[in-house]
Amino acid sequence: MMNSGNGRLPQVAYFCMEYGLDSRLPIYAGGLGVLAGDFLKAASDLKLPVVGIGILWRNDYTEQFINEEGWPYDLYPNYDFDFVKDTGVSVKVQVAGKEVTCKVKLVDQYGNAPLYLLDAGFEGSEEGWITRKLYGGGSSERIAQEIVLGIGGVRLLRALNINVDIYHFNEGHAVLAGIELIREKMAQGMTFEDAWQATRRQVVFTTHTPVEAGNEKHDHRELERMGAYNGLNYEEMRRIGGDPFNMTEAALRLCSAANAVSNLHGHTARTMWRHVKDAAAIISITNGVHVPTWQSEDIARAFIKGEDIWQPHMKEKMNLIKYVHEHTDARFNPEILTVGFARRAVSYKRSDLIFRDARVIDSLLKEKKMQLVFSGKAHPDDVEGKKIIRDLVLMDRKYRDAVVFLENYNMETARLLVRGCDVWLNNPLRPLEASGTSGMKAAINGVLNLSVVDGWVGEGPQHGVSGWLLDTHHDNINPEKQNLQDLQALYRVLIEEVIPTYYERRDDWLDMMRASIDMSHYIFSAARMSREYFELMYCRAACEGEKTAFLTAGGYLCNNRFRS
Ligand SMILES: *Cc1c(COP(=O)(O)O)cnc(C)c1O
């Protein structure tokens, strides 16, 4: 373990529904999972006492490809994951009155802290449906999955004899772990009230969802029928999560410390959950990315040595162009300004914004001022999202060598894109982006952000120095007005600033690339983020008796970092 001064760091069990460690282990859907994977890698680098708890999804989220008509369709390969280690341990949970056995698998080969995965889909199991599809199915499937993650997760820690000081719920999906912690204490003779308060001192919670509809709610009858009450009664469950049972509210009442994932999101989250009585306070810990995973080694070396970074940048750009050529019929030109945009296909991200004035975009593309590369997946059941992708594919077909859509967005394509573009475009409606992390991955590679001010961007790039900001007013203005203002700002900044700098002032461009790397490579790293989790959340929340020791250790950890 890391030298931690006079104190001991608390042992943390980190719960998350998805993990993005490597594209060969597809048990993630997007940003939440990649963040969890990056956190486990940083914890491993820094030798911090963290174990991850998750689910071995047999069918992935979706592998999504494009058909002749330009519509996305989904494939669900059945992975056997024989490279994931079997611990030989299994745990049992009750789902809808039936006993479900989950095998405990271990992943530690991606430079990550140990990740234990619950698997109900082993050969011979009749309950494989529960851990088949990440975010698939309806409310009862979701509750079953959350019983496995939360209740099964606590039981696997007991079965493996891992002594945990702090349980971290990364998003509300893990809330039933709190219910299991309460049940355990009541089984030892504590009252519900005492068990609840004692559990709160062991739990911290991170919220990621600034959109009301994204916060999961469950019907109490369904929760009870599925077995999520876990020995508690209606009144006790209602006091924790309300009626209907709101997973985020429940998490806020089951923890002693909570955080949002950027400073701006902190403001949004505190307003959003102000009405929840007896909730933990919400602080901000801005997300970060695992630099060794996402940063080009050539770029890093050139940056550190103060050497030319254009050459390594062009090497990354050529890798992207080669991939584009191999996977589409388009031939990109390495001399042309390349703008990337890869996001989940949801309407607030406005992936089509740049196309909304056909006259302007038409001339920019035809005069070869820039080329555009898009990627992203829609949720398999989301027709609106699939339409967004189809619209992008139609643009790809209309502007053959100037616009491409790369199908089946995953960590591998993300890596190529955030290293090989010149500019990373981000224009969601505000304030709907909690943090965003792909822009951080771009920034550490000297790929310049062109972005509205939301999420992490509020703390990151400076206009004209380390990126460009579409800094229009958005307080209390409706989406139509935001669309108009942002579209005008986007074209203005592109035409008056980004394009001239790229083609006419290459030295200024290189200065901006270096400023971008300098600005981002520590403060938007998962190393900084995981230190802050220890300092501001785990050590402070850790149990009474050892509080001072934990605080000393947390302070030591944070005073010995290389933050400027
Ligand atoms: C980084 C990453 C994300 C998250 O990107 P956002 O900017 O938060 O949308 C999603 N998917 C993959 C594959 C990633 O690598």
Side-chain angles (χ1 to χ4, degrees):
M1 195 210 284
M2 187 180 202
N3 178 355
S4 46
N6 300 320
R8 169 174 88 80
L9 288 172
Q11 172 67 49
V12 175
Y14 181 88
F15 286 69
C16 190
M17 199 73 148
E18 45 168 313
Y19 289 88
L21 287 164
D22 190 289
S23 54
R24 285 164 294 176
L25 184 63
I27 55 169
Y28 62 92
L32 181 70
V34 175
L35 181 82
D38 279 6
F39 173 70
L40 290 188
K41 290 175 185 173
S44 170
D45 295 345
L46 296 169
K47 301 190 168 44
L48 299 171
V50 176
V51 299
I53 308 285
I55 290 179
L56 189 65
W57 301 104
R58 292 285 177 164
N59 272 358
D60 194 356
Y61 169 60
T62 168
E63 301 268 297
Q64 196 169 76
F65 300 94
I66 306 299
N67 71 17
E68 294 282 310
E69 285 79 46
W71 287 97
Y73 64 93
D74 300 280
L75 295 178
Y76 304 101
N78 204 15
Y79 295 95
D80 58 16
F81 294 122
D82 49 11
F83 55 89
V84 171
K85 296 172 195 158
D86 193 344
T87 60
V89 168
S90 59
V91 297
K92 292 182 169 42
V93 294
Q94 295 284 327
V95 176
K98 273 179 105 175
E99 190 174 79
V100 175
T101 301
C102 300
K103 289 195 173 182
V104 178
K105 305 287 171 73
L106 169 65
V107 177
D108 59 4
Q109 64 262 52
Y110 301 110
N112 56 293
L115 169 61
Y116 295 101
L117 296 174
L118 292 143
D119 176 23
F122 55 89
E123 213 166 290
S125 167
E126 284 172 17
E127 312 296 338
W129 60 276
I130 301 176
T131 58
R132 189 164 294 144
K133 244 187 233 173
L134 173 59
Y135 304 136
S139 183
S140 46
E141 283 91 346
R142 182 65 67 84
I143 294 169
Q145 296 167 346
E146 289 168 346
I147 289 173
V148 167
L149 177 68
I151 299 175
V154 172
R155 292 182 185 171
L156 91 75
L157 292 163
R158 305 293 177 260
L160 293 170
N161 271 317
I162 299 172
N163 283 319
V164 173
D165 300 299
I166 294 292
Y167 300 82
H168 183 169
F169 301 170
N170 193 37
E171 256 311 350
H173 310 117
V175 148
L176 298 179
I179 306 301
E180 172 68 356
L181 292 171
I182 292 174
R183 187 201 61 78
E184 284 182 332
K185 293 178 178 64
M186 289 173 74
Q188 308 252 307
M190 272 196 199
T191 63
F192 167 72
E193 206 65 46
D194 289 348
W196 182 7
Q197 294 316 315
T199 294
R200 287 192 75 154
R201 290 194 288 273
Q202 300 176 294
V203 175
V204 306
F205 166 56
T206 303
T207 177
H208 294 261
T209 320
V211 187
E212 183 62 40
N215 286 278
E216 209 178 299
K217 291 190 189 100
H218 292 298
D219 179 69
H220 272 272
R221 256 167 311 177
E222 191 61 8
L223 279 178
E224 185 172 23
R225 186 181 75 79
M226 293 302 290
Y229 276 20
N230 196 32
L232 271 60
N233 63 34
Y234 168 76
E235 193 48 34
E236 291 160 348
M237 290 295 280
R238 189 194 56 77
R239 286 181 61 196
I240 293 170
D243 187 356
F245 191 90
N246 181 307
M247 298 294 276
T248 307
E249 289 191 29
L252 287 168
R253 292 200 191 93
L254 280 167
C255 72
S256 56
N259 77 289
V261 291
S262 70
N263 291 342
L264 283 170
H265 178 226
H267 292 291
T268 309
R270 281 186 289 274
T271 308
M272 192 168 167
W273 303 110
R274 195 166 40 196
H275 64 280
V276 181
K277 290 212 176 60
D278 204 21
I282 302 174
I283 63 166
S284 295
I285 296 180
T286 303
N287 284 343
V289 298
H290 186 245
V291 174
T293 297
W294 297 105
Q295 190 178 42
S296 152
E297 281 172 31
D298 294 338
I299 290 277
R301 197 177 309 113
F303 175 76
I304 290 164
K305 288 188 173 167
E307 292 171 4
D308 171 42
I309 54 173
W310 189 249
Q311 227 179 331
H313 171 66
M314 283 307 282
K315 192 174 142 196
E316 298 297 339
K317 191 169 178 180
M318 290 309 297
N319 283 341
L320 172 63
I321 289 174
K322 182 161 164 272
Y323 184 92
V324 164
H325 184 58
E326 284 166 3
H327 289 78
T328 71
D329 54 5
R331 280 179 188 280
F332 265 12
N333 179 341
E335 299 307 318
I336 298 178
L337 172 71
T338 302
V339 177
F341 186 109
R343 294 293 135 76
R344 262 184 319 127
V346 284
S347 62
Y348 85 83
K349 304 238 185 194
R350 296 190 301 187
S351 54
D352 66 321
L353 187 73
I354 198 168
F355 294 113
R356 286 191 194 174
D357 188 331
R359 221 169 21 92
V360 177
I361 191 70
D362 217 70
S363 68
L364 285 174
L365 294 172
K366 293 212 166 112
E367 288 166 20
K368 299 194 189 302
K369 290 284 197 292
M370 61 180 185
Q371 51 202 7
L372 299 170
V373 51
F374 290 89
S375 192
K377 285 177 180 171
H379 185 282
D381 302 330
D382 178 12
V383 181
E384 281 301 303
K386 291 194 167 174
K387 202 177 155 298
I388 290 171
I389 292 196
R390 195 182 92 112
D391 290 344
L392 290 173
V393 174
L394 293 181
M395 289 299 147
D396 167 325
R397 292 178 183 180
K398 177 173 176 190
Y399 298 106
R400 302 212 118 246
D401 287 332
V403 177
V404 299
F405 179 83
L406 296 177
E407 59 188 359
N408 202 32
Y409 183 50
N410 59 24
M411 288 181 72
E412 196 190 331
T413 35
R415 242 159 83 103
L416 282 159
L417 287 164
V418 299
R419 294 168 177 211
C421 291
D422 297 304
V423 166
W424 196 248
L425 178 61
N426 178 47
N427 51 31
L429 278 174
R430 281 140 290 148
L432 301 176
E433 195 69 87
S435 167
T437 51
S438 60
M440 301 174 183
K441 301 169 193 166
I444 58 175
N445 284 296
V447 172
L448 298 175
N449 279 273
L450 168 56
S451 177
V452 300
V453 180
D454 201 8
W456 79 281
V457 180
E459 302 147 54
Q462 279 185 281
H463 186 82
V465 177
S466 45
W468 292 274
L469 304 177
L470 306 175
D471 200 2
T472 57
H473 294 287
H474 71 280
D475 284 346
N476 301 318
I477 71 167
N478 61 35
E480 285 73 36
K481 281 223 180 89
Q482 267 193 56
N483 286 340
L484 273 178
Q485 284 192 5
D486 292 343
L487 183 63
Q488 282 168 4
L490 173 60
Y491 288 150
R492 193 191 61 70
V493 173
L494 260 177
I495 293 166
E496 292 174 13
E497 304 189 46
V498 181
I499 291 172
T501 312
Y502 185 81
Y503 292 106
E504 294 156 30
R505 299 195 296 274
R506 186 58 52 80
D507 283 349
D508 291 350
W509 190 277
L510 285 164
D511 285 345
M512 289 184 73
M513 287 178 71
R514 278 187 287 267
S516 168
I517 300 170
D518 196 41
M519 168 278 291
S520 57
H521 77 288
Y522 185 67
I523 63 166
F524 297 109
S525 70
R528 185 273 308 152
M529 174 182 75
S530 50
R531 286 183 156 103
E532 286 191 353
Y533 273 115
F534 269 87
E535 180 187 26
L536 303 174
M537 301 274 280
Y538 309 151
C539 292
R540 285 194 189 171
C543 31
E544 302 282 89
E546 287 180 277
K547 204 166 190 170
T548 30
F550 284 140
L551 279 176
T552 319
Y556 183 89
L557 181 70
C558 287
N559 290 332
N560 283 278
R561 65 192 158 190
F562 37 96
R563 181 206 257 174
S564 55

